[in-house]
Amino acid sequence: KNELVIRKVWINDKIFEVGGTGYEPKGEIKIDGEIITPANNNELLYLGRVSSLVANARLLYAEETKNWRISGDPTDAAILVFGEKLGFHKDDLLRESPLISEIPFDYKLKYHASTNQIENSPLVTVVGAPEVLLSLCAHIKCDGEDYSLGKEKKEKLEVAFIKMSEQGLRVIAIAVRNDASKQLKVESIHSLSFVGFFAMQDTLRPEVSLAMTRAKEAGIRVVMITGDHKITATAIAKEAGIRVVMITGDHKITATAIAKEAGIYQEGDTVLTGEEIENMYGNELASKLGNTTVFARVTPEHKMQIINAYKSLGEIIAMTGDGVNDAPSLVAADLGVSMGKIGTEVAKEASDIVLLDDNFGSIVSAIEEGRSIYKTIKKVILYLFSTSAGEVFVISAALFLGYPLPILAAQIIWLNFVTDGFLDVALAMEPKEEGLLSGKFEHPKKYIVDSLMIQRMVVMALPMMFGTLFLFSQYFETDIAKAWTISLTVLAVFQWFNAWNCRSENRSIFSINWFSNKYLVGATVVVIVLQIAAIYMPIMQKILRTVPLELSEWLLIIPIAASIIVAEEVRKFFYRRKVALKLM
């Protein structure tokens, strides 16, 4: 949800549990399962005060929605809300301890620092990645005093944050230092005093599990990009219920935990960190992608490397993001998808699609809709090409055999604009097929007209040619007007049946609900009425050079035109059998 809430606080070997929901500044504090009064714990109060000073966010109450919302980074917002729960208000704190200087968060530094004037001494407060801050700390603060932070104690701190990370919590460290210099510089961030850990929860969206299941069924590998620790990210990936790939800027432990929670990470999968990626050369990264589901502690440059590695394998990449740093990756991917609610304007401008509801499930639904559109376009093209091919075959064969033209120019226009016009529009309204999110869905080819479509066009066009020429040959020597009328009519009836043929490439038309596409039913009725009008209305007879047909002639035309259904049904039968044998 990108709605971070601090759930645990580690201070001096004690773990405080923090209650509350969302960004509402209310929540009880517990230790060992019992509610405590924060005012009676000086260490907790100190942590709440200094962390509120460094939190670069604002907490706002929306009257219209009766909800609390934040302005600024979600991580800073979670820290700010924690301070509010302890009774610290940032504006009041800044009046007492004004901000002197600041180092904004940088993905390379992996921390954010600020200097505030507290009484007569400037205080530097730093929050950031635990492994980075621990390397910068020389002391640990206990009961208000600074003690040397040796190797053994650092190892214990690492164990503490790993345990919290394994629970899928994003762990942030906080450290301080009294500094005589008021100008804050990166070079001066060292010899810090460690204060504690914040363990934050970023709850999975409720739609994730179902969306991941649908994505898995559709044969889609999901690449998740997050800032969590490797273990946290893997835990969340597991919870989502699908083997996907997650790219994250978070620590390896955090990332692993998140991946487990989301169902992305499965036992035996590989987890790569940004540092490991930097040490890879040539095609080494691409060779690791097959079994890698989590990428942790990555920078924007690493994301670009990962995307390019996937592209080198011929994969189609859709990249989601919301931050400024995501913009290069959104542009580099085949399809950039940004968040409409929480996304920055830079990310939205760099993307191809903006999700108005920030819902991952919407991406899967869009894929299903896209596949449906792809299938529908193929159906319409198949119908138009096969009927047009049938007309071309009829005229070409007639010329080869020395027959008169079996169909006139005005009649061709009638077939292409009237008969085809209604039926192809109706075919475009075909409802979505089942199994579009099946892993068996065909990978789109370079050309939309593939070998199967060409095969179907021939199978459909040949009965049109043979049937039309057969009937035309029975009449043209004695009554050319009757012969033209029969050719026009039988081609029209062929097209009626063919529209129903094109509804599916493998399912029999008798197994598909005939009324699932009411537009096609209506269009078929309309073209039948228009064809009858073309034959029996005097004005249409004059325009199209037609004459009335007798019932016996209709009884001959309809069975011959139905041969196009028989031909396609036979092809579908053998096609289904071929597919079934492949799956065995």
Side-chain angles (χ1 to χ4, degrees):
K1 287 185 176 181
N2 202 29
E3 185 179 277
L4 295 174
V5 181
I6 291 176
R7 291 302 180 199
K8 293 183 178 181
V9 176
W10 187 99
I11 309 173
N12 196 18
D13 291 329
K14 294 190 287 289
I15 295 179
F16 298 86
E17 297 176 9
V18 184
T21 57
Y23 292 122
E24 185 177 8
K26 293 180 181 178
E28 55 193 24
I29 310 295
K30 295 181 180 179
I31 187 167
D32 295 329
E34 294 189 8
I35 300 175
I36 65 168
T37 303
N40 296 332
N41 192 296
N42 292 330
E43 292 177 319
L44 189 63
L45 291 177
Y46 180 80
L47 176 67
R49 178 182 177 125
V50 295
S51 62
S52 296
L53 286 171
V54 77
N56 193 8
R58 285 288 181 269
L59 184 63
L60 307 168
Y61 183 72
E63 288 288 348
E64 62 277 7
T65 59
K66 305 298 181 184
N67 286 324
W68 290 89
R69 59 186 180 87
I70 58 102
S71 172
D73 180 77
T75 302
D76 285 333
I79 295 173
L80 182 69
V81 171
F82 169 73
E84 292 270 353
K85 289 176 181 178
L86 298 182
F88 294 106
H89 303 290
K90 186 174 179 69
D91 291 337
D92 294 338
L93 290 174
L94 288 176
R95 279 192 289 270
E96 298 173 4
S97 307
L99 178 67
I100 301 173
S101 60
E102 183 178 20
I103 298 176
F105 178 81
D106 182 89
Y107 68 85
K108 292 181 179 178
L109 296 174
K110 293 185 175 63
Y111 63 75
H112 165 217
S114 68
T115 301
N116 293 80
Q117 184 68 37
I118 297 182
E119 296 178 352
N120 297 323
S121 175
L123 179 73
V124 175
T125 308
V126 186
V127 293
E131 68 274 23
V132 173
L133 259 64
L134 285 177
S135 68
L136 297 173
C137 287
H139 305 88
I140 183 169
K141 193 169 283 293
C142 297
D143 299 321
E145 299 293 331
D146 288 344
Y147 295 91
S148 176
L149 182 59
K151 181 180 179 181
E152 183 178 346
K153 185 61 178 178
K154 277 191 179 182
E155 289 176 351
K156 288 184 178 180
L157 292 176
E158 288 175 356
V159 170
F161 91 76
I162 285 173
K163 284 184 178 180
M164 289 187 286
S165 297
E166 287 173 340
Q167 299 169 27
L169 299 173
R170 177 176 296 173
V171 182
I172 302 295
I174 181 167
V176 297
R177 193 188 75 194
N178 289 86
D179 199 338
S181 172
K182 293 186 177 182
Q183 187 59 42
L184 192 58
K185 297 180 180 179
V186 173
E187 304 82 57
S188 65
I189 305 299
H190 57 81
S191 301
L192 303 176
S193 293
F194 180 81
V195 178
F197 292 122
F198 289 121
M200 306 176 182
Q201 182 184 42
D202 188 357
T203 309
L204 284 179
R205 295 175 180 275
E207 74 276 358
V208 166
S209 293
L210 176 60
M212 288 293 186
T213 300
R214 295 176 70 202
K216 183 176 182 180
E217 292 172 352
I220 300 163
R221 294 191 72 200
V222 181
V223 178
M224 188 168 98
I225 303 171
T226 172
D228 291 331
H229 188 289
K230 186 173 181 178
I231 293 178
T232 306
T234 306
I236 292 178
K238 277 189 176 178
E239 186 178 320
I242 178 174
R243 180 179 179 274
V244 299
V245 179
M246 180 172 83
I247 305 176
T248 167
D250 295 327
H251 190 284
K252 187 172 183 177
I253 299 173
T254 309
T256 306
I258 293 174
K260 286 180 181 178
E261 184 183 355
I264 297 170
Y265 177 86
Q266 305 294 332
E267 294 300 334
D269 289 348
T270 303
V271 181
L272 292 179
T273 63
E275 184 179 356
E276 291 169 332
I277 293 172
E278 287 179 356
N279 295 324
M280 292 180 180
Y281 298 95
N283 296 324
E284 188 177 355
L285 177 57
S287 68
K288 298 280 187 181
L289 296 180
N291 197 43
T292 301
T293 53
V294 177
F295 294 89
R297 280 291 191 251
V298 299
T299 65
E301 289 82 2
H302 296 145
K303 293 179 187 178
M304 295 290 290
Q305 285 181 253
I306 295 167
I307 288 174
N308 291 331
Y310 274 112
K311 282 188 171 183
S312 71
L313 298 177
E315 301 284 1
I316 304 298
I317 307 298
M319 166 80 182
T320 66
D322 55 22
V324 174
N325 290 334
D326 291 323
S329 302
L330 290 169
V331 173
D334 296 294
L335 185 71
V337 184
S338 67
M339 305 298 111
K341 289 183 178 179
I342 64 172
T344 61
E345 290 303 316
V346 174
K348 293 176 187 177
E349 288 295 325
S351 62
D352 302 293
I353 293 176
V354 178
L355 293 181
L356 298 180
D357 58 359
D358 290 2
N359 188 333
F360 180 81
S362 297
I363 300 176
V364 183
S365 297
I367 292 170
E368 183 180 27
E369 194 65 34
R371 290 182 174 184
S372 177
I373 293 170
Y374 172 73
K375 282 280 192 181
T376 301
I377 290 173
K378 291 188 71 172
K379 292 173 187 177
V380 173
I381 290 175
L382 173 65
Y383 172 72
L384 291 174
F385 279 30
S386 59
T387 53
S388 297
E391 294 170 14
V392 171
F393 284 6
V394 167
I395 295 172
S396 300
L399 293 174
F400 178 78
L401 295 171
Y403 291 175
L405 280 177
I407 187 167
L408 302 176
Q411 295 172 343
I412 294 174
I413 293 173
W414 173 265
L415 289 173
N416 290 349
F417 282 88
V418 179
T419 307
D420 280 354
F422 282 98
L423 293 174
D424 63 12
V425 170
L427 198 57
M429 306 302 290
E430 186 72 14
K432 284 187 289 191
E433 294 182 14
E434 296 178 0
L436 288 174
L437 289 180
S438 167
K440 296 179 290 185
F441 184 85
E442 64 174 331
H443 193 286
K445 310 294 191 302
K446 181 178 180 180
Y447 302 105
I448 197 167
V449 178
D450 54 27
S451 58
L452 178 59
M453 286 180 67
I454 293 173
Q455 179 187 342
R456 295 182 72 188
M457 289 175 195
V458 174
V459 169
M460 295 170 182
L462 287 177
M464 295 177 70
M465 180 188 72
F466 289 121
T468 303
L469 289 178
F470 170 74
L471 290 176
F472 182 72
S473 65
Q474 304 301 306
Y475 290 90
F476 78 83
E477 292 181 344
T478 57
D479 188 348
I480 189 65
K482 175 79 73 172
W484 284 334
T485 304
I486 286 180
S487 294
L488 171 65
T489 304
V490 73
L491 281 171
V493 179
F494 269 123
Q495 292 181 358
W496 304 346
F497 290 142
N498 199 35
W500 293 82
N501 265 342
C502 294
R503 295 186 71 188
S504 175
E505 65 185 25
N506 60 348
R507 294 181 62 192
S508 168
I509 65 170
F510 304 106
S511 66
I512 303 174
N513 183 356
W514 286 29
F515 296 97
S516 60
N517 186 348
K518 296 181 175 59
Y519 298 97
L520 186 57
V521 174
T524 304
V525 172
V526 169
V527 295
I528 290 173
V529 171
L530 290 173
Q531 186 63 30
I532 292 172
I535 296 172
Y536 297 104
M537 284 183 64
I539 187 171
M540 297 304 296
Q541 291 174 349
K542 186 175 182 181
I543 295 172
L544 297 175
R545 306 282 293 276
T546 58
V547 295
L549 297 179
E550 298 176 3
L551 179 60
S552 60
E553 292 162 339
W554 277 103
L555 294 176
L556 185 61
I557 288 169
I558 292 174
I560 288 177
S563 64
I564 197 171
I565 292 179
V566 175
E568 179 64 0
E569 287 296 308
V570 171
R571 187 208 62 80
K572 287 179 180 178
F573 172 79
F574 285 105
Y575 179 79
R576 290 194 298 270
R577 188 173 179 181
K578 180 182 177 181
V579 172
L581 289 173
K582 282 185 177 181
L583 295 175
M584 290 178 64

